Amino acid sequence: MSKVLIKGNEAVVRGALLAGCKNFFGYPITPASEIAETAAYYFPLLGGTFLQAESEIGAINMVYGAASSKARCMTASSSPGMSLKMEGISYIAGAELPCVIIDIMRGGPGLGNIAPEQADYNQIIKGGGHGSYSLIVVAPNSAQEMCDLTMLAFELSDKYRNPAVVLADGIIGQMMEPVEFPEPVQTMPDRPWAVSGTIDSHHLICSIQLDPDMLEAHNLALQAKYARIAENEIRYEAIQCDDAEHILVGYGIVSRILQGVMEQLRTEGYKVGLMRPITLSPFPTPQLIAFAENNNVKSLFVCELSAGQMVDDVRLAVNGRKPVHLYTRMGGKVPTVKEIVEKFKESI
Amino acid sequence: MKTTILQKPASFYDEFTQKGGAQLANTHYCPGCGHGILHKLIAEAVSDFGIQDKTVLISPVGCSVFAYYYFDVGNIQAAHGRAPAVATGYKRSNPESIVISYQGDGDLAAIGANEILQAANRGEQMTVFFVNNAIYGMTGGQMAPTTLIGQKSTTTPRGRTMQNEGYPLRMAEIIATLEAPVYVERVMMTDPKNIARTRKAVRKALKIQMEKKGFSFVEVLSGCPTGLKMTPVNTKNWITDVLSKYFEPGVKKDESEDREPIITLHPDPHFEEYHELLDIRSLSDKVKGVKLSAVKEMVDEIKIAGFGGQGVLSLGYALANIAMGHNYKVSWLPSYGPEMRGGTANCSVKISDKRISSPMIDNPTVLVAMNKPSLQKFVDDVQPGGVILYDSGLIDEAPKRNDVTVIGIPATAEADKLGSTKAANMVMLGAYAKIRGYLSNDYVKQALPLIIKNKSFHKLNEDAFKRGMELVKNS
């Protein structure tokens, strides 16, 4: 198949439409606005709905409503907008509705700036909203994956009746790369639980359970679902890890830089591998445990565009068995290959 | 003695099993509460109109959060205040449904004031029933946005004052000022006559939606003896004598006779058309009959910088696209946001035969500098052995590096001669192509008009590209 040079943010919209998404509700915010702009153009062309909501809160609740129907729906935002969406996300997770949310992360806290960061990890993976819920979270590192993982997010979201987030950063969203677009998904999964306006669909979509016994049972069922997702849906990429003595760990744009770091260090004779989580939730914990238990492996080196958020999950998996080093930049500063190479050498 | 068996409307469940408890035929509402009556009026209308199966009720937060115990229709329970947004999302996804947003005063006029205002303003095809009892019921008697001045509540223990809490919001009047809503009325459920009026309003509001005419809004003054701490009888009297004096019942807006149905037609293209419609047909599919040379081992890291408007980003885009067409791996990364607004723009293009790791460029192999600030900013970053192409017509001072190849190209001046300053970027593209030598001229000739689609530039760009190549030859 032939390739098209396209921005990550635009590939997301194409991927969504090829996955059969029919409804987009969004609110503009840099650096995610191109997603809404592209959706505004293409959704109506394919018979779908694009609506610019009054707020991020409005948008996520429109998603809640549309997700209760038969048709696929989505929204997209960036970090401060995601903070506003958290109420709705908790309700969507509680009511077990499938939808896809794109988060193009920017610098924080507060208004921060519009440069790339990865500091939404905790609010997205650990649950920025209330309650014991988990999202399915995928982390693309190329324009191709912005399309592919958006499509996967729709698939997993429907499969598990769970909201899914595509967690990317400003660079992955803004960058253009060649993308091979697949054929459109023609058959949508059945949604027997949906409110579809027919005699068979006098269903109830809700997240309220007044009775503590029932709410506990609901929570246990949710946790069992998350365990099933963890068992079946972990995705990661391990590059040259087989003989590696040091494992670099990073996701999104950082994983691209770390690949450069790995290549550089390999030419200098360091046995270095790269482990890139593709799903951040479920987190590739078993694979990290395997590194921790591997006698070849001497240390892990985590790099993040935050004060260090994912590193907590790496450390939980490694559980003190190997040193886990951390190098971070914040505020939109993105480390260079050279810079990380130096920090790595200091670490070992 | 003759007995009449009064049937529940079919849109109610026979038994309220979801409610639980011993008395499955009764609601959970208190004696004197208005919800039960309003529920019944809605259920009767839904049954009478034959819309039970396509009705979707959005229930709010508050006592009527449990409206789904009773209504045998599609039910979606929304977060506090968000029912109009949820209703919007559902209705847009399923336009043939009948969507009811059922809300209380705290829900609609306080935490959800924006959602209701915006949904009304968009003229969403939905029906809103707004139960105004001037108090927070379920939460336990706190002040509502419609609590009257002087009225005591658990959060206005000395009575609401305009100095501290402001005035009660007249939502029906506010909604009626908007252009889009079709029908807005306030009614009260105090006595049989007024309940009959309420019944009429409920039915009219639903009819408007069935006729696809748009948004309708019925505010219902209703009793909450528990929250108001009054007997049911006193509550009714208070509504009649006090509450309805501030919130006057009546039709606030009615354009139902004049409005035409609004029907949105959605196209339904075949899957085979998707790639064409989504503009994701590859360039290589359209460029015909060009024999490309084999991909060579190469890592070219090109930084292109200049003023906004000099076509810096589109130069990078064209280059990356053409290199991709020659089967190289490519990436293109712009400077974005405020950086762009300062008047300067730059982009990074990587071209390689191998998988590209980071799309960012710290030390370019090629710098294309279209203005002086850009040259100054990046001149020292260029790798030894690299190339600097600079617009020698705009930059009066040649870069001082003797470890790189420096080529001055008067791109802007040459583009001017060809007919437009805007083609300066293509002069630079030609210069780059000449220096690097791996791009097919035939391919570029066919591809450029497909990349930069504006027809008025096709000939100009072709000429500019050629001119750029010649300028390198001559320099």
Side-chain angles (χ1 to χ4, degrees), chain A residues 5 18 41 92 137 165 172 192 229 304 338-340 342 347:
Chain A
L5 187 68
L18 292 172
Y41 184 80
I92 291 169
V137 184
V165 175
I172 299 294
I229 297 173
E304 284 185 80
K338 201 171 138 198
E339 180 182 342
I340 301 176
E342 279 168 20
S347 82

Side-chain angles (χ1 to χ4, degrees), chain A residues 212-234:
Chain A
D213 286 335
M214 285 173 71
L215 186 54
E216 187 179 51
H218 178 57
N219 265 290
L220 290 172
L222 287 178
Q223 294 303 319
K225 175 172 83 172
Y226 304 148
R228 272 202 317 283
I229 297 173
E231 199 169 316
N232 297 315
E233 306 300 348
I234 289 174

Side-chain angles (χ1 to χ4, degrees), chain A residues 262-340:
Chain A
M262 185 194 73
E263 285 160 6
Q264 175 63 37
L265 288 169
R266 284 261 168 192
T267 62
E268 296 180 28
Y270 294 91
K271 287 188 173 172
V272 177
L274 170 61
M275 153 65 151
R276 164 172 86 96
I278 295 173
T279 53
L280 293 172
S281 172
F283 194 70
T285 304
Q287 289 68 32
L288 286 160
I289 290 174
F291 290 131
E293 290 174 346
N294 183 335
N295 289 335
N296 261 346
V297 175
K298 292 179 181 156
S299 74
L300 291 92
F301 183 94
V302 176
C303 184
E304 284 185 80
L305 305 182
S306 71
Q309 299 188 5
M310 182 188 69
V311 71
D312 291 348
D313 285 326
V314 176
R315 287 188 171 134
L316 275 174
V318 172
N319 200 15
R321 283 170 286 200
K322 295 283 157 64
V324 176
H325 302 289
L326 174 66
Y327 182 62
T328 71
R329 296 298 302 261
M330 286 177 274
K333 298 296 284 185
V334 181
T336 62
V337 169
K338 201 171 138 198
E339 180 182 342
I340 301 176

